[in-house]
Structures are given as structure tokens and as C-alpha cells.
Amino acid sequence: NTKGTYFPFAGDRQEFELPKTQRKIKKLTPEAQTLIRDMQPYRGGNDFLWSLNKLANTDKHEIPIELAAVHLAWSGALEMKALGTFSHTFSAPKTFTLNDEGEATLLTFPHGGDPQGDIDVTVDIVFGKADIVENQPVLAVLNQYSGLVERILTIFEEQSVRP
């Protein structure tokens, strides 16, 4: 009977050691309890595992996970017809926040300019204000989370089939 058994997460090691947290794993075998303790699922232990739990438990209906776009590179040739053909450095922010429609301002041109030409912009979507994974590329982090969960499941699977 494993009713009431949960994978425990805590804000820090002290909270993890509290009886109310340890109660979540008391019905597991001593080996399984040791495996969980060794994974250190708390902030200051395995921060990456802790951050997965924090993101997974964010109320997605009330507080969205903030994302941002990070400017990686841009190239191309632009001419400002209204201002002549002199060279101009266009401001391109390193990080910019996406609006509700998923749009962001990539480049800012001088007032009165009429840019003509082609430009290629390379950006990456990153986590915004998110502990541990802030400013990290979303796809890379999700792949790492997936690998972490797969490793944890494999560890428990191997432990459960031992004679």
C-alpha cells in the first residue's frame, strides 16, 4: 500500500529532513528511501531537480512561466533612404521580453528612417524569471529535464527488480 507516498521536494535540506517531508516516503523500502535522499530533491542539493518541480507546480492558469528571446546574431544590409546612405549602428537588445502575442522588438531604427534591405535575425527562446534555469534555452532545458526524469525512473526500475 503506497497510498500517501510522494516523491518529496523541499525548499532546503532542513525542510527535507523534517518528519512531515519524510512521511511522504516512509512506506517505501529502505533502499528506495536512500535513493531519494541521495538525489537531494531540495534547493541547495540538486537544484536542477528542484527547479523541475518548481516549474511543474507553477499555476499555469494564474502565473505563466515567463519566456524571453535572446538575440544571438543578426546580419544583412540596410539602407536608410530618408536619412541618406551613411552607415548607422542599429540598436539590438541582448534580451527582450515577448508580449502576449509572442512578439518582441528586435531592432530599433532612428526616427524618420525608412529601412530598405534584407536582414536575418537569429534568436533563442529562454526562460525568463525562473530560478535555476533563468536565461537558459527552453528546448535545451526541457531536454535536460527529460533526461533527468528518465535517469531517475531507470534507477528505481533497476532497484525494484533486484533479487
Side-chain angles (χ1 to χ4, degrees):
N1 180 11
T2 56
K3 186 175 180 177
T5 301
Y6 303 95
F7 195 97
F9 287 92
D12 57 30
R13 183 182 182 124
Q14 188 175 1
E15 182 184 335
F16 181 76
E17 298 297 337
L18 291 175
K20 72 175 187 171
T21 305
Q22 293 300 306
R23 201 171 319 145
K24 296 175 182 177
I25 61 173
K26 72 179 181 180
K27 293 180 182 177
L28 298 176
T29 65
E31 295 83 10
Q33 291 179 30
T34 299
L35 286 173
I36 290 173
R37 285 189 188 96
D38 289 348
M39 288 178 198
Q40 302 177 340
Y42 48 85
R43 178 134 195 183
N46 186 333
D47 286 338
F48 194 67
L49 179 59
W50 174 84
S51 72
L52 171 60
N53 181 63
K54 184 169 182 182
L55 284 174
N57 288 317
T58 300
D59 187 342
K60 290 136 191 97
H61 300 287
E62 298 289 327
I63 305 169
I65 297 171
E66 188 173 311
L67 300 177
V70 177
H71 167 252
L72 299 177
W74 71 275
S75 62
L78 291 177
E79 182 180 318
M80 301 296 281
K81 295 286 186 191
L83 301 176
T85 57
F86 63 91
S87 65
H88 177 78
T89 303
F90 304 99
S91 61
K94 180 70 178 157
T95 304
F96 33 91
T97 304
L98 303 177
N99 65 19
D100 292 338
E101 287 79 38
E103 302 167 335
T105 301
L106 300 178
L107 296 172
T108 305
F109 301 102
H111 181 72
D114 181 17
Q116 302 292 315
D118 295 315
I119 188 166
D120 293 317
V121 179
T122 304
V123 296
D124 205 350
I125 304 301
V126 300
F127 284 100
K129 295 178 183 175
D131 288 326
I132 310 304
V133 296
E134 186 169 336
N135 292 325
Q136 300 298 312
V138 171
L139 289 178
V141 169
L142 293 177
N143 280 327
Q144 290 174 349
Y145 280 149
S146 175
L148 175 62
V149 170
E150 190 174 323
R151 286 190 302 277
I152 289 170
L153 292 174
T154 299
I155 289 169
F156 277 97
E157 195 173 74
E158 289 173 353
Q159 191 268 336
S160 68
V161 296
R162 287 187 186 155

